[in-house]
Amino acid sequence: MTYDWPAIVGDLDSLLKLRSIPFGMKMFARREDMEAIPKIRRPQSVHTLDQIVAQAARIGWTVGITSDDLVGAQCRAVVGLGGAKTDAWQSGQHMTGVWFSTQQDAQAHQEAMHCVPDGQYDALAVGPLSSGKLDPPDSALFYATPGAMIYFINGLQWSGYKRFDWSVVGESACADSWGRALTTRLPSLSIPCFAERRYGGVLDEEMLMATPPEYLVSAIAGMKALSKNGFRYPFAQYGVQQDVRAGMAVSYPGRA
């Protein structure tokens, strides 16, 4: 399916007041296909995947990588590059005493992560959605405040309601966002972890949404419907000591 990416990004910016660039992530079975993207940038040094993502979200670059561009197995494993899911990786030994008290705790963390299976892909690219270079991306992503995120979720739930259940693995939270969205093909909300904030420049107030692109379209339609009902982001505060009935009567016509 082909999307009007400039229009979609314009709607997201207008509805959610985004402060960074909505971007896409696309997996490639062959490195050559990634490298064929017009004006694709390739890293000149070793990075975390958080840094590569930040180059798209903060600078607006379209960047392609293979496993050799990433610092270690943890980054590679989430997106299924480089056959990273070895017995040593699965054991969690590199996280024992660093993020988790025991090797058993670290191994349980590794087992809890959503990761793309190894052996399917040789490369990936990230870049701004508005450029259309990754059309269609496997996953569309954006950073936003908690208030903007709940409004986006309200938009998703406007039509065809379903409850969303998300998880938190803790460190390596990219498994909750791009790892989960790539593997489950469902919207995936995460609280970015230490590595994303230290190396990826994620701000304290930011959360990350990763979703197959078709959900952006339905969420935008839902948010526009909510806007017509007077529900818009940012949310105008009513006041903690006001008589609530006047405000509720606006939101729920006919309420006493």
Side-chain angles (χ1 to χ4, degrees), residues 25 31 114 155 159 171 191 218 245 248 255:
M25 181 176 287
R31 170 181 180 154
H114 282 96
S159 179
E171 187 55 28
I191 304 171
S218 59
R245 290 172 293 182
M248 293 291 282
R255 184 184 180 95

Side-chain angles (χ1 to χ4, degrees), residues 12-30:
L12 288 174
D13 284 337
S14 174
L15 291 162
L16 299 176
K17 309 300 186 288
L18 299 179
R19 302 178 217 171
S20 60
I21 302 167
F23 62 98
M25 181 176 287
K26 190 175 183 71
M27 306 297 302
F28 294 88
R30 300 187 333 129

Side-chain angles (χ1 to χ4, degrees), residues 103-170:
Q103 186 270 320
Q104 289 78 16
D105 293 323
Q107 181 172 337
H109 169 266
Q110 301 297 82
E111 293 171 352
M113 293 168 60
H114 282 96
C115 296
V116 175
D118 288 347
Q120 296 182 4
Y121 302 106
D122 193 40
L124 70 78
V126 294
L129 289 174
S130 59
S131 74
K133 291 183 179 181
L134 305 182
D135 189 27
D138 293 311
S139 184
L141 305 94
F142 62 90
Y143 291 98
T145 65
M149 285 302 185
I150 191 59
Y151 190 56
F152 181 83
I153 293 164
N154 294 151
L156 284 172
Q157 294 173 324
W158 168 256
S159 179
Y161 176 86
K162 66 174 294 183
R163 188 182 76 177
F164 291 105
D165 293 295
W166 291 303
S167 58
V168 179
V169 298

Side-chain angles (χ1 to χ4, degrees), residues 24-241:
M25 181 176 287
K26 190 175 183 71
M27 306 297 302
F28 294 88
R30 300 187 333 129
R31 170 181 180 154
E32 294 81 3
D33 294 332
M34 173 272 287
E35 292 177 334
I37 297 172
K39 297 183 178 180
I40 187 81
R41 292 175 181 263
R42 298 283 283 113
Q44 301 303 305
S45 57
V46 173
H47 292 299
T48 66
L49 188 50
D50 311 300
Q51 290 173 295
I52 301 300
V53 163
Q55 290 172 19
R58 312 293 171 177
I59 308 175
W61 291 354
T62 300
V63 186
I65 63 166
T66 67
S67 63
D68 292 338
D69 299 308
L70 297 175
V71 68
Q74 199 71 5
C75 282
R76 296 170 186 154
V78 175
V79 288
L81 296 181
K85 299 179 190 63
T86 62
D87 289 343
W89 176 86
Q90 193 70 57
S91 74
Q93 61 188 25
H94 60 294
M95 287 187 152
T96 303
V98 180
W99 284 105
F100 305 103
S101 175
T102 67
Q103 186 270 320
Q104 289 78 16
D105 293 323
Q107 181 172 337
H109 169 266
Q110 301 297 82
E111 293 171 352
M113 293 168 60
H114 282 96
C115 296
V116 175
D118 288 347
Q120 296 182 4
Y121 302 106
D122 193 40
L124 70 78
V126 294
L129 289 174
S130 59
S131 74
K133 291 183 179 181
L134 305 182
D135 189 27
D138 293 311
S139 184
L141 305 94
F142 62 90
Y143 291 98
T145 65
M149 285 302 185
I150 191 59
Y151 190 56
F152 181 83
I153 293 164
N154 294 151
L156 284 172
Q157 294 173 324
W158 168 256
S159 179
Y161 176 86
K162 66 174 294 183
R163 188 182 76 177
F164 291 105
D165 293 295
W166 291 303
S167 58
V168 179
V169 298
E171 187 55 28
S172 308
C174 56
D176 296 325
S177 54
W178 54 76
R180 186 178 184 276
L182 289 169
T183 55
T184 67
R185 307 302 302 157
L186 293 169
S188 300
L189 179 69
S190 75
I191 304 171
C193 64
F194 173 87
E196 289 175 86
R197 298 180 189 277
R198 180 174 176 85
Y199 300 109
V202 179
L203 303 179
D204 276 352
E205 66 270 20
E206 288 182 320
M207 302 180 76
L208 177 59
M209 176 65 73
T211 178
E214 59 268 23
Y215 288 96
L216 292 183
V217 177
S218 59
I220 287 168
M223 288 186 287
K224 287 182 176 179
L226 292 170
S227 179
K228 291 179 181 178
N229 290 339
F231 303 122
R232 303 179 186 92
Y233 180 80
F235 310 122
Q237 296 188 1
Y238 191 73
V240 298
Q241 292 181 295

